[in-house]
Amino acid sequence: YRVRRDMMYDLLTKYNFKCIKPEGAFYLFPQTPIEDDREFCRRALEHRLIFTPGTGFECPGYIRIAYCVSRETIENCEPSLKALAEEFGMI
């Protein structure tokens, strides 16, 4: 998981998502660029990205992204993640 964590973390921070690198989990909790994390997740779906709103974990304004997927899945999400970041003026 360390390799996948680092891959996902590097992608998120490349596109200016604020995120703490976890020490022993299988997910990341980046901050959303808007207050409404549910709306952010809805907009991410338009880019074929599936995130879980942080509100469900008592962390509004954040999303949960699991990195217990293949390396290829992480690599292939970059164009979508970039487009989402562009939509929100993050890059």
Side-chain angles (χ1 to χ4, degrees):
Y1 284 141
R2 180 181 45 80
V3 170
R4 294 176 202 165
R5 177 206 59 196
D6 292 347
M7 289 172 67
M8 194 72 235
Y9 177 83
D10 291 346
L11 269 181
L12 289 167
T13 56
K14 177 179 180 178
Y15 297 114
N16 297 313
F17 283 88
K18 295 178 183 174
C19 185
I20 296 172
K21 189 185 281 189
E23 292 294 323
F26 60 90
Y27 54 85
L28 295 162
F29 253 115
Q31 187 174 11
T32 57
I34 60 173
E35 287 185 40
D36 188 342
D37 52 289
R38 290 180 176 145
E39 175 61 22
F40 184 76
C41 288
R42 282 191 286 276
R43 303 265 294 274
L45 274 175
E46 295 173 8
H47 297 278
R48 300 180 53 161
L49 296 167
I50 300 173
F51 302 143
T52 304
T55 300
F57 301 95
E58 297 186 21
C59 293
Y62 290 81
I63 53 173
R64 182 175 166 166
I65 303 174
Y67 51 82
C68 54
V69 295
S70 70
R71 293 178 188 181
E72 293 79 19
T73 298
I74 295 170
E75 291 167 354
N76 292 336
C77 82
E78 183 169 7
S80 295
L81 191 61
K82 180 182 179 187
L84 182 64
E86 287 173 342
E87 179 180 336
F88 284 94
M90 299 172 70
I91 54 172

